[in-house]
Amino acid sequence: MATVYVTRQLHFSAAHRLHCDKLDPQTNIKIYGMCNNPRGHGHNYDLEVTVRGEPDPLTGMVIDLKELKEIVAREVIDQVDHRYLNEDVDFLRGVVPTAENLAVAFWRILQDKFPGAELYEIKLYETPRNMAVYRGE
Ligand code: NI
């Protein structure tokens, strides 16, 4: 049999501010720079969700990509799109909304959601050049 990896890309836009309450203001500015500006800033995120499994002998599919898209849209995109990530999203409370932390949070939500396929990787592009990858380790 063959294990095949299947990826769907989805998009969302959101605002955030990088700020850690446990650090003093000067340290926050030193670490996060302009990303610590009080009123936040926005990103156009691209989220790539990869699952793996064996293609069904009849359909040839690991998972119906339309179904994969609908699950990620419902569970993640609808919760974060056009929101202020520091305050508006229940599952991000108390988390500094870096790409790293978002990738982990999205993994935890999506981990058990795909029938017949196993979540393999969350890849989150914060910009075309900056991305974080999480594989549940
Ligand atoms: Ni940012």
Side-chain angles (χ1 to χ4, degrees):
M1 289 300 289
T3 299
V4 182
Y5 297 71
V6 177
T7 302
R8 171 76 197 206
Q9 185 179 90
L10 294 93
H11 179 81
F12 66 97
S13 299
H16 72 172
R17 177 194 185 205
L18 299 186
H19 182 87
C20 179
D21 290 333
K22 298 187 180 96
L23 301 171
D24 63 67
Q26 288 74 23
T27 306
N28 269 288
I29 290 170
K30 192 175 164 199
I31 292 172
Y32 298 123
M34 291 205 301
C35 295
N36 185 243
N37 285 351
R39 295 191 187 277
H41 60 275
H43 290 287
N44 292 312
Y45 292 92
D46 283 312
L47 171 62
E48 292 179 3
V49 177
T50 300
V51 303
R52 65 178 172 185
E54 294 183 354
D56 183 279
L58 293 177
T59 66
M61 297 192 295
V62 171
I63 188 171
D64 183 339
L65 275 171
K66 181 169 174 285
E67 188 181 5
L68 175 59
K69 180 199 80 173
E70 287 170 354
I71 291 166
V72 178
R74 182 181 68 234
E75 300 290 336
V76 172
I77 303 296
D78 290 353
Q79 315 304 316
V80 296
D81 193 23
H82 286 72
R83 304 292 168 86
Y84 182 47
L85 301 177
N86 298 65
E87 295 181 6
D88 297 348
V89 182
D90 285 342
F91 66 76
L92 295 175
R93 295 236 179 265
V95 169
V96 181
T98 57
E100 295 93 318
N101 281 341
L102 295 178
V104 173
F106 295 170
W107 174 281
R108 288 178 178 159
I109 288 174
L110 293 171
Q111 192 171 12
D112 302 320
K113 296 291 193 296
F114 304 111
E118 178 189 8
L119 180 59
Y120 172 71
E121 181 179 273
I122 298 287
K123 184 179 286 185
L124 181 66
Y125 287 85
E126 193 174 67
T127 74
R129 291 181 181 141
N130 294 344
M131 54 133 160
V133 176
Y134 186 57
R135 292 179 181 160
E137 295 149 343

